[in-house]
Amino acid sequence: MPTRRPAIPAITPTPIAPAPALGRPRSPAGASGTGVGPGAVEGGPAPHAGAWRVGVVLWVAIVAIGVGWGTVGVAGSEVALRAAPLMGHWTWPQPGLGLVPAAGIGLAVAGHGPRVAARVRWAAVPALTGLTAATWTAALAASGDWSALTEPLTTRHEYEPFAAGVGGLGPFLATYVDRLPTYPIHVQGHPPGPVVLAWALDRVGLGGAGWLAAVAIAAWGAAAGAASVAARAVAGERAARRAAPALAVLPAAVWAGTSVDPVVAALVAVGAAALAAAGRRRSVRGAGAGGAVLGVALLCSYGALPLLLVAAAALAATTAGAGPGTRARLALGAAGTTGALLLAVGAAGFWWPDGLAATRAAYWRGVAADRPGLYLTLAGNPAALALAVGPATFAGVVAIAPGRALRDADGVVPLTGGSAGVGGRVGRWLLPASAGRAARPASGRRRRRLAPVPGGSWVLPAAALVALAAADLSQLSRGEVERIWLPYFPWLALAAPGDRRGWLAVQVALALVLQSVLDSPW
């Protein structure tokens, strides 16, 4: 007699034929005997091969137009884009032994990342994703020499040398806008947050470019981990596990270890993840905490403003089933703390809108007026974006477009039990669900709270694409977007087929090639 299932609503994916994938064929779901083995992710709902091909063709076309147009019309001009669309210049390949650690990490992720992401307990996935992303970034940055980690942060254009001469924060904030034209280039392009960060590290005995580089690398790892947490809340655990290996080895890591922009990426990702979690739990306090983190992000970068759309999308998606009053309270909780923080800093002397206006004026007095806006807006910036996120991300974005979005029918993989003690706790944290006692289904209330949003795989990447379009059209990003847009890239990578070894290998290879042939200031 068939077993009667509990009356719990679930979303059943429409069966589709498995698509050919790069790398060796995958085993059917559950073939490994674990129940949440590689098959549960690698053999799960897969986009059609035709969608992947469209994404790759689009990626190749964008890169070819951006590099070709840039080489012919821009690289010879005096706009520091000799490797147009990228900042810097091309060099002969310099593989060297320094790339061996980075190559080893990348190949390990490509070979084992999908299996690990599918098997370990969920709590380990964001931590392992962030740790791998940070290690991969450090290995790429140090492939030539360990000094390469700090040299880009010690130039006369950067925050750390400037912060050493800042006295009290009160006078600095009060005169920031008025004295902006006298500040270094990168300081002119941001609110005072990055300078305050370097100043604070100095005051607690962690001064110098080495500590700032460590913060940037750790922040990039935090951004990758937090993005996976937000993806789980919005799109379900299967989608989040699927994206985790791709987040760990994004080609954008080539630029992430030697600038302060990863700090903004981490703040936005943590803020958005907090809002997504608050939306699931209907927690006004959680929404307020997320809004406060996003306020700090705004005080570190004007480019964080369009990314508020990603955070708003995360909150809206996770509160889709709530009443209007609940949604309004959560939104007001988030907006209230963001606004309160900006007002508090404004009362101390720095008004955010005035800072943005001063930065825009300084930008147009300087490099923006000399750089080709038509090329960068239409071809250069999109090509730099394509190189930073890799072809796998483009393939994934096309593949999960509306109507083709990955749905997680199982919601959250149940957590496993196990023996007591420290060893048992570590084992329970890492082992798959089937390794311990039989997992019990989640309660109806918990299952409803954690169930993925239908079509949720598309929500965060789509919001990031709209935010990127706004940033591109704003004309405040004329070049250098491989660094400036770092906070946007993890959200697009959520669409990448990180459960496919071949795609991961392509991402790793692209990053290694860029590290070998591009002489970048970062």
Side-chain angles (χ1 to χ4, degrees):
M1 181 176 178
T3 303
R4 185 175 180 181
R5 296 184 178 179
I8 299 174
I11 301 170
T12 304
T14 303
I16 57 175
L22 295 177
R24 65 186 186 184
R26 310 296 182 219
S27 59
S32 63
T34 67
V36 288
V41 172
E42 295 184 30
H48 294 291
W52 279 343
R53 284 194 291 268
V54 169
V56 172
V57 169
L58 180 64
W59 184 87
V60 171
I62 289 174
V63 171
I65 293 171
V67 173
W69 185 353
T71 300
V72 172
V74 176
S77 59
E78 294 299 321
V79 292
L81 295 172
R82 296 176 184 85
L86 304 176
M87 188 80 167
H89 62 270
W90 302 115
T91 66
W92 288 104
Q94 303 171 11
L97 293 177
L99 273 179
V100 171
I105 294 169
L107 291 176
V109 173
H112 303 287
R115 182 177 180 83
V116 171
R119 287 177 61 92
V120 300
R121 186 173 176 173
W122 164 254
V125 174
L128 291 176
T129 300
L131 180 62
T132 304
T135 307
W136 159 253
T137 300
L140 284 171
S143 60
D145 191 298
W146 279 106
S147 64
L149 281 167
T150 56
E151 282 179 1
L153 296 169
T154 59
T155 70
R156 59 188 176 86
H157 304 301
E158 292 290 338
Y159 311 101
E160 206 283 329
F162 175 76
V166 173
L169 281 186
F172 172 67
L173 292 175
T175 61
Y176 188 82
V177 173
D178 293 335
R179 301 183 62 182
L180 192 73
T182 67
Y183 291 159
I185 294 296
H186 286 177
V187 177
Q188 290 184 32
H190 292 77
V195 176
V196 173
L197 171 63
W199 179 90
L201 289 174
D202 254 347
R203 293 307 183 273
V204 298
L206 301 178
W211 285 108
L212 196 57
V215 169
I217 291 171
W220 185 244
S228 69
V229 172
R232 184 196 189 220
V234 173
E237 189 164 312
R238 178 176 294 175
R241 288 177 181 269
R242 178 178 183 262
L247 283 167
V249 290
L250 261 178
V254 169
W255 300 280
T258 50
S259 74
V260 181
D261 293 271
V263 174
V264 182
L267 291 169
V268 170
V270 170
L275 288 186
R280 285 295 188 193
R281 297 169 182 166
R282 310 296 192 251
S283 170
V284 176
R285 286 187 180 180
V293 175
L294 293 171
V296 177
L298 288 171
L299 290 170
C300 289
S301 173
Y302 300 112
L305 182 62
L307 278 169
L308 294 184
L309 180 62
V310 175
L315 182 61
T318 53
T319 57
T326 299
R327 300 183 77 178
R329 283 193 298 272
L330 292 170
L332 289 174
T337 52
T338 301
L341 182 61
L342 295 180
L343 287 174
V345 175
F350 172 74
W351 289 99
W352 196 90
D354 292 345
L356 175 59
T359 289
R360 185 179 182 86
Y363 190 56
W364 281 100
R365 283 195 305 267
V367 68
D370 298 325
R371 287 185 175 169
L374 183 64
Y375 161 71
L376 289 169
T377 302
L378 298 182
N381 289 351
L385 163 69
L387 289 169
V389 301
T393 300
F394 267 59
V397 167
V398 172
I400 67 166
R404 210 182 270 122
L406 178 66
R407 293 185 179 185
D408 182 355
D410 301 323
V412 175
V413 175
L415 303 182
T416 177
S419 58
V422 175
R425 287 195 296 270
V426 173
R428 290 197 303 272
W429 192 64
L430 288 173
L431 289 176
S434 61
R437 59 178 170 79
R440 291 177 295 178
S443 66
R445 180 180 177 184
R446 181 170 178 270
R447 186 179 180 95
R448 285 193 299 272
R449 188 178 77 239
L450 296 176
V453 177
S457 298
W458 177 246
V459 171
L460 298 178
L465 282 174
V466 175
L468 275 168
D472 192 27
L473 295 174
S474 73
Q475 298 301 299
L476 286 176
S477 301
R478 285 196 169 188
E480 306 179 44
V481 297
E482 65 272 18
R483 172 188 60 82
I484 297 171
W485 286 355
L486 279 170
Y488 296 79
F489 299 150
W491 304 108
L492 295 180
L494 293 176
D499 56 343
R500 307 288 166 171
R501 296 185 180 95
W503 284 114
L504 291 173
V506 169
Q507 298 286 89
V508 169
L510 174 61
L512 295 175
V513 168
L514 286 172
Q515 186 67 32
S516 299
V517 303
L518 177 65
D519 185 2
S520 169
W522 304 291

